[in-house]
Amino acid sequence: MKKLSGLLFVGCIALTGCEGSTDGDLTPTPPTPDPTPPALAADVCYLMKTTKGDITLAIDLTNMPITGKNFKQYVDKSFYNGTLFHRTVNNFMIQGGGFTTGLKSKPGDAPIKNEAAVGISNKRGTISMARTTVPDSATSQFFINVLDNPDLDASASEFGYAVFGKVVDGMDVADQISIVPTKSSGGFANTPVQEILINSVATTSCPAA
């Protein structure tokens, strides 16, 4: 039940509620996932400095052009600087990119198309887009999987969550973030007791293949 609960909350871009989360939102038929998903490309890499340590991310612009470009555009305008990892669930994922200190919402740009049907799996260390129950609703928020989470993948009956990159260094930092003490209050769940800040996200060299 813990995993199912986590899945439902990842589906909420804002933890205080899910806009448009009615059964009617899921009436479209999910696209069939690619039966032979490609390996993630490392087209551009970013160094994410947090108050818990550094995480290096490789972003796939080749196989995930919409999602990868979306993340890149947020980084290019320094959107993530000063945002929080506002939700952490042990043995599941860590979520960030939508709130500033004091859990103040930071509105993102227009929602993007869900590319989860490309077929890249939510494995440990991958980074994916958070969204509401509306399939094409992701904006700025993302999450890093700390375990393999195949339940979040696209299928014949589920739209899934789009993987667009992976951690190439600093997974130990992500693991530490996932186990910090959390609290629930004011409609927010699994929020770190002590805020975990993303100080900056900047371009860095990708590791040699």
Side-chain angles (χ1 to χ4, degrees), residues 57-127:
L57 302 168
I59 304 304
D60 187 338
L61 303 176
T62 301
N63 301 301
M64 306 298 290
I66 297 172
T67 318
K69 181 182 177 182
N70 178 69
F71 187 81
K72 182 179 185 301
Q73 289 176 334
Y74 280 113
V75 173
D76 288 348
K77 61 182 180 181
S78 302
F79 179 92
Y80 292 121
N81 298 358
T83 60
L84 302 171
F85 275 106
H86 63 270
R87 182 165 181 263
T88 67
V89 182
N90 188 20
N91 291 325
F92 188 35
M93 59 88 227
I94 59 176
Q95 182 175 344
F99 293 88
T100 58
T101 187
L103 288 174
K104 296 178 182 177
S105 179
K106 186 172 186 179
D109 297 331
I112 60 171
K113 180 177 176 58
N114 186 349
E115 292 184 298
V118 169
I120 302 172
S121 183
N122 281 270
K123 294 183 178 180
R124 170 174 162 80
T126 56
I127 179 172

Side-chain angles (χ1 to χ4, degrees), residues 11-187:
C12 302
I13 286 180
L15 296 180
T16 52
C18 295
E19 238 182 80
S21 59
T22 64
D23 291 341
D25 296 327
L26 300 181
T27 51
T29 302
T32 303
D34 189 331
T36 55
L40 279 163
D43 295 308
V44 60
C45 292
Y46 297 110
L47 179 63
M48 178 180 288
K49 290 183 172 292
T50 82
T51 49
K52 284 289 187 180
D54 296 347
I55 301 172
T56 303
L57 302 168
I59 304 304
D60 187 338
L61 303 176
T62 301
N63 301 301
M64 306 298 290
I66 297 172
T67 318
K69 181 182 177 182
N70 178 69
F71 187 81
K72 182 179 185 301
Q73 289 176 334
Y74 280 113
V75 173
D76 288 348
K77 61 182 180 181
S78 302
F79 179 92
Y80 292 121
N81 298 358
T83 60
L84 302 171
F85 275 106
H86 63 270
R87 182 165 181 263
T88 67
V89 182
N90 188 20
N91 291 325
F92 188 35
M93 59 88 227
I94 59 176
Q95 182 175 344
F99 293 88
T100 58
T101 187
L103 288 174
K104 296 178 182 177
S105 179
K106 186 172 186 179
D109 297 331
I112 60 171
K113 180 177 176 58
N114 186 349
E115 292 184 298
V118 169
I120 302 172
S121 183
N122 281 270
K123 294 183 178 180
R124 170 174 162 80
T126 56
I127 179 172
S128 304
M129 291 305 298
R131 59 173 176 80
T132 70
T133 53
V134 179
D136 299 332
S137 61
T139 57
S140 67
Q141 288 193 40
F142 60 85
F143 61 94
I144 296 173
N145 291 289
V146 296
L147 287 185
D148 289 351
N149 290 312
D151 289 348
L152 303 185
D153 294 347
S155 68
S157 60
E158 299 290 341
F159 286 93
Y161 295 81
V163 174
F164 63 96
K166 62 183 177 181
V167 174
V168 292
D169 191 32
M171 195 59 202
D172 57 328
V173 175
D175 288 336
Q176 287 302 308
I177 292 173
S178 74
I179 61 174
V180 298
T182 61
K183 62 183 179 180
S184 298
S185 63

